[in-house]
Each structure stands twice: as C-alpha cells, then as structure tokens.
Amino acid sequence: MNQQITGAEALMRSLEHQGVTTLFGYPGGSIMPTFDALYHHKDTLNHILVRHEQGATHAAQGFARVSGEVGVCLVTSGPGATNTLTGIADAMIDSTPIVVISGQTPTSMLGTDAFQEVDLVSVTQPITKWSYQIRSAKDVALAVARAFFLAKNGRPGPVVLDFTKNAQTEMVDYEPMTVDFVRSYDTNPDPKEGALEAAAALINQAERPLVLVGQGVELGDAQTELKSLVEKADLPCGCTLLGLSALPTEHPLNMGMLGMHGNLAPNVKTNECDVLIAVGMRFDDRVTGNTATYAKQAKVIHLDIDPSEFNKNIAVDVPVLGNCKRTLKALTELVNEAKHTTWIESFAEYDKVEQARVIEPEIHPTSGPLNMGEVVRAVSEATNNEAILVTDVGQNQMMAARYFNYSKNRSIVTSGGLGTMGFGMPAAIGATFGRPDRTVCVFMGDGGFQMNIQELGTIMEQQAPVKMILMNNNYLGNVRQWQAMFFGRRYSFTPMMNPDYMQIASAYNIPARRVAEREELQDAIREMLATDGPFILEACVIEEGNVMPMTPPGGTVDKMMLEC
Amino acid sequence: MKTLYTLIVHSENIAGLLNQVTAVFTRRQINIESLNVSASSIKGIHKYTITAWCTEDEIKKVVKQIERKVDVLQANYFTDAEIYQHEIALYKLATPGFQANPVASKIIRRHAARVVEVNPTFCIVEKNGMSEEITSLYEELQQFGIVLQFVRSGRVAISTSCFERLNEYLAFREEKYNKEKKDEKYD
C-alpha cells in the first residue's frame, strides 16, 4: 500500500500530473496547508507571487492565451476568492482556460459565516464552466483531473475548485487520475449530417463571400486550416478583436478588423456580401452594431464548437457544429477552387479612404503631440511585427489592436468580452511566462495602468521582461471620447491627475523613459527593446485623441463615422 | 406569440445544478410557472420539469443555454400537444359550508376527486389531473366560499414521442467515446 499523503500534497501531485509548471497565487489562512505543500515542490511548480488576486487571474489568462495551456491560480478563501471574480468572468466571456483553486473554511464550519467564508461555488456558477467544492481529500485527484479536462476541452473556460481546509490536511491514498470523458458534455461534437455539404454549396455559389475570423480559430489551433480554406476558395476575411492574429495581417485576403473601431472595408462589406462565413466567433454587439440591419442580404454559415452560439444573436442559415480544426479541413475538401477578384478588389476603395482620412494622419502626423496610433505602429515595426501584443482596455486597446501588425499565431491578448481595465499589466506578466521565447509588449492608458499598478511589484521580483508602453493622455480617454461625441463634451470625471510615473518606475527599480517628442520616439523604443527585463516607456500622447473610424453603439456597420 | 412550454431537463445528480438551471431563466427575464425536480428512472440522473410562458425563439435559446452547462445531459422543450402531463392538487374545505351545499359533493364526484380526510372543522379533497381541470374544480368550489386552502404541485410530464431520447443519448455518448478511444489506438 502507498504511504498516505495529505490532500494538499495530493493537489501538488495532481497538478504535476496535469503537466502544470507555473501557477500564479497569493497565500492566506485557508490555503496555508496547500502553500506548505507547495514549499516542497518549488523545483517543479514555479509559483509566481502576485500582489493582488485579480492580478493572479489575469496573469493566468495571459499565460493561457499565449501558450494554449491551462493557467492556474492559487488563492485563499473569502476576499482572496472574491478578488478573482473579475478574472474568472473575463475568462468565461473570452473562453480562456484557467483553473482557480481557492481555500475554503473547513467543511464543519461551512454555512456558519466563519472567518473569510464566502459561498464561492454559488457565486461563481454563472461565470464558470464548472465550479466544485472539494470537501474531502479523497476527491482531490478526480476533481483536479475533471477541472483540467473541462477547462481546456470543448469551448475552453474557467473552472473553480473550492478547496476546504480539512480536505487539505486529511490523509489519503493517492493515485493519479486522468479524465478524458464526461458523458454529459461532448467536447468534440459532430456537425449535423449534410451541414458541411450545405455550407460548401453556399460557398461554391457565392459571388461575394466574406469570412469572419474569430478566436475559435486560435483556440482550435486551426490557423493553417483556415488559410487553406480561404486560399482555395479565394475568400476575403475580416478578423474580430480576439481573432486578429489567427491570420497574418499581411495576408492578401486579410481585410482587417471587424467591429465598432475596426477597419472600414470589412465592416462595409459585411452588408454587401452574399455569403457570410463566421468561424469561431459569436456575433458580439461590438461586432454587429444594430443586428436589425446586420448582413440582412447574406446567407450566414456559422462554424462553432458551442451549439448555443447558433442563432443567439444572428439568424444562421447553415450551422456547422464542431471544432473548427476539423470542420474547416472538411470544408476545404468540399469547396471548389475559385477566384473572386472583382469582389476582393472592391475592398480597396474603402481601404484607400480609411488610409487617407484616418490611418495616415494617425500614424504619420507631422506636427502636434504624439498620437497613440503612431506609438503603436512604431513599436510594432521595431519588433518586426513579431511581438505578442497585450493591451489594457479603452482607447489604448483599440489603437493597439488597429495599428499593431501580427505575423504569428496567438499574438494578441486583450480583454474583449468583459472589457476589464487593469487587465493589461498582469496579463502581460502571464504572457512572459507562457512564451518566454517571445517579446511581450503591453499597451496601457494612464487609467488602466493604475488599476493593477501593484503588479509592478511582481514584475520587479520576477524580472518579468514586460515591455510596458504607457500612453498617457491624462484622461480616461475612451469615456472622454464618448462624452465628447454623445454627451455634449461634458467631461464628467474623466480628466485625471497623474503621479510621476518615472518616480514610480524608479521605486520599483524598473528602467523607464518618458518621451514627448516625435524625434525621440524611435530611440526610446529601441532602448526599451534593447533593455533586458522589464521597461516602462511613458509616451505623452495627445490629450483629446479619438479612435476612429467608429460605428456608434446601435449603429449600422456600413455607416461608420470617419471623423467626429 | 407566448406559449406555455414544458421543459424537460436531465442532469447528473450534482449539488447546485438547480441554481444553474433556473439562473438561465432569470438572466433572460422569463418567469418559471412551475418546477418539479426528482430522481429519474435512471440511477444517478435527475429530472427537472419546468413550465414557462415564452416565445419559441426564447425557449430555444433557454434550452441551448441550459444544455450548455457541463453537468446537464439533455434539455428538450415541448408544447402541451407533445406531452402527457399531470398535476396533483389538495383543497381544504370548511366542513360546515361543505355540508350546507349538497352540490359541492356532486362537483367533487364529477371531477373524479376524492375526499381523503374529514373532521368537524375541515375536509381535504385530493385531485389529480390536467392544469385546467384543477383550476376549474377550484373555481367551482370557491363559488360557495368554502375553500380554506388550495395547493397544487408543479407539473410532471412525460413525452408522447416513441423515442427515448435520454437512453439514446447515453448510448450514443458511450459509443462515440469507445470509437474515439479505438481511433486513438490506431493513430
């Protein structure tokens, strides 16, 4: 018989059995036995001590998004657990596989309002794929195996394990467990009979096809399969915010970004195409604008692994259920080689308009303060368009998404669905651990930078090579832009008094440089990228810069505003 | 157009799942008319029978979002024409009023209800049947002003289709798993 071990030790071995090498966490009362067990596993489990549990969840998200592995958090009960909620909700809406393990009061004290007790399972049920309380050490192996299986298979998402203190200290016979089947949940569903044939028939008849590329392509690791399909049938593509790096920016069929602040051509063409092929995307309202006027003329084909996405926001003519790695491959075999030259060329006239009226003035201004887009494009080019882009939320996010160029898969980490300010810095930390071989650049505004600013401590301690670009405009810029456009320029609580970020950087011993002059920008970026380890580049950008073009909320995708 | 739909959900018997199922209705702002949860005929599987007024478009989305929960095996919706359904109701009547109105006992017999308890203060009448029958018995008794209390269960329902969807689903899942295992072996 094996020697008995504690539940906490069983957790360590279960994590190792799942192939976990990195976790992000913060200790506290109810998780102490587990942290004690972790002390003896420091060689195999690299624990990154964050400065706030929200930071742990975003770091785990960043880790997961760039590596394709499950991100893991380890936190205590009560406030430790509730601090993870924003990250869990963010992971749910953006389909990011993370497992959050939190301490919990002993089973005997559950329901007594014990110190740092919160009913985490109930609280997290609506924002997780699965939320489970481990009440006994003998549950550990199965719960962990099931948690990892559910987090990463099918449509990925967050899982919570609420680990009672008695389960951490009880002794148990441990056997490693693997879950590869949950009878109530099909992780690899099949398309309905005839669906692929129907989709292929529509594509083969199409004169003006348009593909919408979503994050599902990256999650399904189907970038090659997507390219094969669109190249064979000559299908122009627009990418969602989270799908931007699923197809290289420079690919001739990539027509740019969809959505509220996306590119003009793919948005306008959405309402001109005859067949719309949505791949691993969910018709978010930031993509569709007013659904009553969205792509009404088109037959809609929707490829998704989650059947609840079909007809949720947009009526679908041909739903194709399944992992898009499989369905795209099958579809490629069924479609004919085709050319849609005239249709594809028709995108160019909108591209030209946007280039002349929006893009050129934004990235190549000749006078005035620095522009946000100018800073983003300069950083992107200086990394040879090969870096991982992480963004915070707001104008910095839209500018970064628009003006960064992507040449590699899994190169954009941003909070799309939830729009979480404060996401950027911790997510970038996670990304440096997920892909230590790649450069990680995070763009933040002065608002978001301060919303998880404590993670500078984590960066300092880990010497995480995060290249932080703070685009400081002394405003909560996105809200200010809306106030300017829709609220009569009443700047209600959007101007911000800022600290001296250079002093903050120096307090954390992080190399930093402030740049306000156009002539200095290139050199500052060069210095940032040449510096080993972390760097803060503060770009003093135009105070009242606006992100354009724009489909106002509830507006129609083919009526984007180019100026405001 | 709003219709009274009956939803039948089968799930693993896991604590907290009821919350997850009802939360889908809450989020979509649909009121649950009745709800019945019990063990199903298959060991370890629970059955939920839920009725709600909504449009077909709404119920379709609700069903898919319930089915999306990882521990839910299956969710299906039915109109009244597609199921056989029953409810049970108990009526507590004031004995003096009941005795003073001989028509009342005729009504009870006509409705095929039965008296299960009588004492000088009250008597209890039990009826099972369709929703409308239960309501109509209540209304008929109430015209004498003798109903002290009236309770009704949620609906229990069984589909009238020849397909046993859940058994088929479970068999399909096992078969698919075994096939995938086999394919993996040969890969």
Side-chain angles (χ1 to χ4, degrees), chain A residues 127-181:
Chain A
I127 51 170
T128 50
K129 262 185 95 172
W130 190 52
S131 186
Y132 183 74
Q133 190 169 61
I134 303 175
R135 297 194 189 121
S136 144
K138 65 179 194 315
D139 290 349
V140 171
L142 180 61
V144 172
R146 203 171 192 260
F148 278 77
F149 175 77
L150 290 172
K152 69 183 167 198
N153 288 286
R155 180 176 179 172
V159 171
V160 164
L161 293 176
D162 194 29
F163 197 11
T164 60
K165 201 165 181 181
N166 56 290
Q168 297 173 45
T169 52
E170 279 165 19
M171 302 302 282
V172 67
D173 294 317
Y174 173 76
E175 280 286 339
M177 283 186 82
T178 303
V179 166
D180 63 355
F181 177 68

Side-chain angles (χ1 to χ4, degrees), chain B residues 80-133:
Chain B
D80 280 358
E82 296 163 321
I83 46 168
Y84 178 75
Q85 52 100 353
H86 243 59
E87 279 181 44
I88 182 162
L90 299 172
Y91 308 74
K92 191 176 182 184
L93 311 177
T95 304
F98 184 45
Q99 283 171 334
N101 291 289
V103 187
S105 69
K106 272 191 193 153
I107 291 171
I108 287 167
R109 276 200 299 280
R110 182 156 47 76
H111 277 273
R114 61 200 184 104
V115 179
V116 292
E117 156 126 34
V118 183
N119 64 40
T121 324
F122 63 83
C123 41
I124 296 175
V125 172
E126 177 191 305
K127 156 139 190 84
N128 53 57
M130 312 289 273
S131 307
E132 312 79 60
E133 297 168 357

Side-chain angles (χ1 to χ4, degrees), chain A residues 523-535:
Chain A
D523 188 58
I525 292 170
R526 187 203 49 75
E527 185 188 344
M528 171 178 79
L529 295 174
T531 305
D532 280 336
F535 194 95

Side-chain angles (χ1 to χ4, degrees), chain B residues 56-93:
Chain B
E56 186 164 18
D57 188 47
E58 284 173 330
I59 198 78
K60 277 183 179 167
K61 288 177 182 172
V62 164
V63 162
K64 281 201 274 191
Q65 286 183 327
I66 289 174
E67 224 166 29
R68 188 175 181 232
K69 307 287 171 194
V70 293
D71 290 314
V72 169
L73 289 149
Q74 236 186 3
N76 291 293
Y77 70 94
F78 303 91
T79 59
D80 280 358
E82 296 163 321
I83 46 168
Y84 178 75
Q85 52 100 353
H86 243 59
E87 279 181 44
I88 182 162
L90 299 172
Y91 308 74
K92 191 176 182 184
L93 311 177

Side-chain angles (χ1 to χ4, degrees), chain A residues 64-394:
Chain A
R65 291 268 283 270
V66 299
S67 68
E69 304 292 319
V70 177
V72 185
C73 302
L74 190 60
V75 301
T76 194
S77 65
T82 54
N83 279 344
T84 65
L85 295 180
T86 306
I88 294 170
D90 196 294
M92 184 68 175
I93 200 164
D94 280 351
S95 309
T96 309
I98 62 169
V99 171
V100 176
I101 302 158
S102 74
Q104 180 59 284
T105 43
T107 310
S108 59
M109 293 174 78
L110 288 171
T112 65
D113 297 328
F115 179 63
Q116 295 193 329
E117 181 193 357
V118 78
D119 181 2
L120 189 66
V121 169
S122 293
V123 168
T124 54
Q125 262 173 355
I127 51 170
T128 50
K129 262 185 95 172
W130 190 52
S131 186
Y132 183 74
Q133 190 169 61
I134 303 175
R135 297 194 189 121
S136 144
K138 65 179 194 315
D139 290 349
V140 171
L142 180 61
V144 172
R146 203 171 192 260
F148 278 77
F149 175 77
L150 290 172
K152 69 183 167 198
N153 288 286
R155 180 176 179 172
V159 171
V160 164
L161 293 176
D162 194 29
F163 197 11
T164 60
K165 201 165 181 181
N166 56 290
Q168 297 173 45
T169 52
E170 279 165 19
M171 302 302 282
V172 67
D173 294 317
Y174 173 76
E175 280 286 339
M177 283 186 82
T178 303
V179 166
D180 63 355
F181 177 68
V182 169
R183 68 175 175 180
S184 58
Y185 180 58
D186 194 348
T187 54
N188 189 15
D190 301 308
K192 273 212 178 117
E193 226 179 285
L196 285 160
E197 290 74 13
L202 274 181
I203 294 172
N204 286 337
Q205 288 159 18
E207 291 176 357
R208 300 182 309 280
L210 178 63
V211 178
L212 310 181
V213 179
Q215 192 197 197
V217 175
E218 302 253 40
L219 294 173
D221 203 14
Q223 301 90 348
T224 319
E225 287 76 6
L226 174 82
K227 221 192 291 182
S228 304
L229 173 71
V230 301
E231 286 173 0
K232 183 176 182 189
D234 201 28
L235 310 171
C237 304
C239 297
T240 67
L241 176 63
L242 268 53
L244 278 171
S245 62
L247 189 67
T249 313
E250 292 307 319
H251 193 283
L253 289 167
N254 189 342
M255 300 299 163
M257 181 164 95
L258 299 162
M260 181 178 270
H261 289 298
N263 294 113
L264 186 59
N267 275 307
V268 171
K269 294 293 170 179
T270 302
N271 276 6
E272 285 179 20
C273 66
D274 58 357
V275 177
L276 195 64
I277 306 127
V279 188
M281 57 84 72
R282 58 187 178 83
F283 292 106
D284 179 75
D285 55 271
R286 286 301 195 260
V287 163
T288 62
N290 185 354
T291 52
T293 58
Y294 181 82
K296 287 292 166 198
Q297 78 294 341
K299 292 273 184 208
V300 178
I301 301 168
H302 193 175
L303 282 67
D304 208 289
I305 197 165
D306 179 355
S308 75
E309 289 300 339
F310 299 140
N311 296 309
K312 187 183 79 178
N313 296 337
I314 295 292
V316 175
D317 297 286
V318 182
V320 182
L321 183 62
N323 185 325
C324 58
K325 195 173 179 72
R326 278 172 67 206
T327 52
L328 282 170
K329 191 164 175 239
L331 202 52
T332 308
E333 283 164 19
L334 293 173
V335 298
N336 302 333
E337 275 185 46
K339 280 283 164 211
H340 299 104
T341 314
T342 321
W343 163 242
I344 288 168
E345 279 169 3
S346 74
F347 284 67
E349 75 178 274
Y350 293 95
D351 217 28
K352 253 183 235 156
V353 171
E354 188 185 347
Q355 280 289 344
R357 285 170 62 184
V358 180
I359 298 175
E360 271 304 306
E362 180 66 35
I363 63 173
H364 295 132
T366 46
S367 60
L370 286 170
N371 281 343
M372 290 180 271
E374 172 185 18
V375 176
V376 171
R377 182 56 63 85
V379 172
S380 179
E381 284 173 354
T383 67
N384 201 23
N385 304 325
E386 285 176 354
I388 290 171
L389 167 70
V390 183
T391 84
D392 208 75
V393 164

